[in-house]
Amino acid sequence: MLVHPKFDPVAFHIWEWPIHWYGLMYLAAFGLFLWLGNRVVSRPWNAARGWVRRDIDDLLFYGVLGVVLGGRLGYVFFYKPGDFLKNPLEILQVWHGGMSFHGGLLGVIVAMAIFAWRRGFKFLEVGDIVAPCVPTGLATGRLGNFINGELWGRPADPSLPWAMIFPQAHDGGIPRHPSQLYQFLGEGLLLFIVLWLFARKPRPMAAVSGLFLLGYGVTRFVAEYFREPDDFLGLRALGWSQGQWLSVPMIVGGALMMAWAYRRAARLAAA
């Protein structure tokens, strides 16, 4: 049976300023977005639509604001609205933790809409550029969760070779699923490979975005069966977690978006 090594959350210091691993994971995510985004816009069909590398720089700026603001507000409203209503100043105390992917996604959607409006691009076209570059950021985020020893998994059979004890859980040494690594592999690496290969050829507008929503929704829904539900929420209706219920609209919306994209492309080809 494995035991989480309880990494020091501080990677190193610059003079007296602590540099946390989780911050480095965010930095890696933004760097990967720039590198991958530049490759995406350099593809002939995207360059022909007027995309240039400077657009990726600007998208990153908008995206960072969307991730931080949306992620924090999503956590506030999706997970602890009552607690933050009692102490609204704690909303600003992001150093205490508390970010929501689904809230961050909504924040990024708003950021993309503003970018598309200001630059004259179609919103769904912007989504197709961004989508293949997102899973690597999700992967680095899950690595950050694992290093911090947070968001651990549900109890696992002790005979499972990779079952892990998380001392941070203060649960008496119960072996658990390292669900952070499951999410790293699923919504991170696997989803990246699928999207990157899919987007290597011209696709109907909104197809890549739809596949991202569908793929993330499915991988997150499955991973939630191994992830310990938030203790202040527990399981909801049907025995599903809050994360699963928030993933259902993504699965349905992604499937509908892909169907719409290909039907629209067929109508345009027949016209």
Side-chain angles (χ1 to χ4, degrees):
M1 194 181 305
L2 304 175
V3 178
H4 186 272
K6 294 189 70 173
F7 298 101
D8 187 341
V10 177
F12 55 88
H13 289 78
I14 296 180
W15 291 287
E16 296 183 359
W17 293 94
I19 306 300
H20 291 77
W21 281 110
Y22 205 68
L24 292 177
M25 294 300 104
Y26 267 89
L27 186 62
F30 298 146
L32 286 167
F33 178 86
L34 283 176
W35 180 59
L36 295 171
N38 285 330
R39 296 188 63 183
V40 171
V41 297
S42 65
R43 290 168 177 164
W45 55 91
N46 291 324
R49 295 172 181 156
W51 284 90
V52 295
R53 292 189 174 188
R54 186 171 63 86
D55 294 323
I56 295 300
D57 297 339
D58 293 343
L59 261 176
L60 177 61
F61 172 75
Y62 283 90
V64 168
L65 293 178
V67 167
V68 174
L69 296 178
R72 183 59 172 173
L73 292 177
Y75 182 78
V76 169
F77 291 110
F78 294 156
Y79 290 92
K80 289 187 173 182
D83 291 349
F84 285 105
L85 185 61
K86 295 177 183 177
N87 302 285
L89 290 179
E90 290 186 5
I91 296 175
L92 303 177
Q93 298 174 4
V94 294
W95 53 89
H96 289 167
M99 297 286 281
S100 161
F101 167 80
H102 297 90
L105 176 64
L106 292 175
V108 169
I109 289 174
V110 172
M112 289 192 309
I114 296 173
F115 173 86
W117 169 67
R118 295 194 64 178
R119 291 297 181 86
F121 289 115
K122 294 180 180 178
F123 171 72
L124 293 176
E125 181 183 333
V126 176
D128 289 342
I129 295 291
V130 170
C133 310
V134 173
T136 52
L138 301 177
T140 60
R142 294 311 174 194
L143 279 181
N145 294 145
F146 180 74
I147 291 172
N148 285 349
E150 60 191 7
L151 305 183
W152 48 78
R154 302 188 192 192
D157 189 325
S159 65
L160 186 71
W162 54 86
M164 182 173 290
I165 293 174
F166 287 87
Q168 301 89 336
H170 302 293
D171 56 8
I174 296 176
R176 296 179 176 274
H177 290 279
S179 57
Q180 314 96 323
L181 299 183
Y182 296 175
Q183 292 186 263
F184 166 80
L185 294 172
E187 68 198 46
L189 294 186
L190 176 60
L191 185 57
F192 168 71
I193 292 171
V194 170
L195 281 170
W196 195 256
L197 293 177
F198 183 74
R200 288 181 65 183
K201 296 180 179 180
R203 302 293 180 181
M205 186 175 67
V208 179
S209 301
L211 182 59
F212 169 78
L213 291 175
L214 176 62
Y216 178 85
V218 170
T219 53
R220 176 66 183 267
F221 189 93
V222 173
E224 285 285 329
Y225 279 116
F226 302 96
R227 176 173 162 173
E228 182 73 12
D230 296 291
D231 56 2
F232 53 88
L233 286 176
L235 297 176
R236 300 301 184 94
L238 302 181
W240 291 355
S241 67
Q242 179 80 336
Q244 286 175 309
W245 278 109
L246 292 174
S247 296
V248 169
M250 296 183 68
I251 296 172
V252 175
L256 292 175
M257 188 179 293
M258 290 193 73
W260 174 85
Y262 279 97
R263 288 178 182 175
R264 177 178 177 273
R267 289 196 304 269
L268 292 175

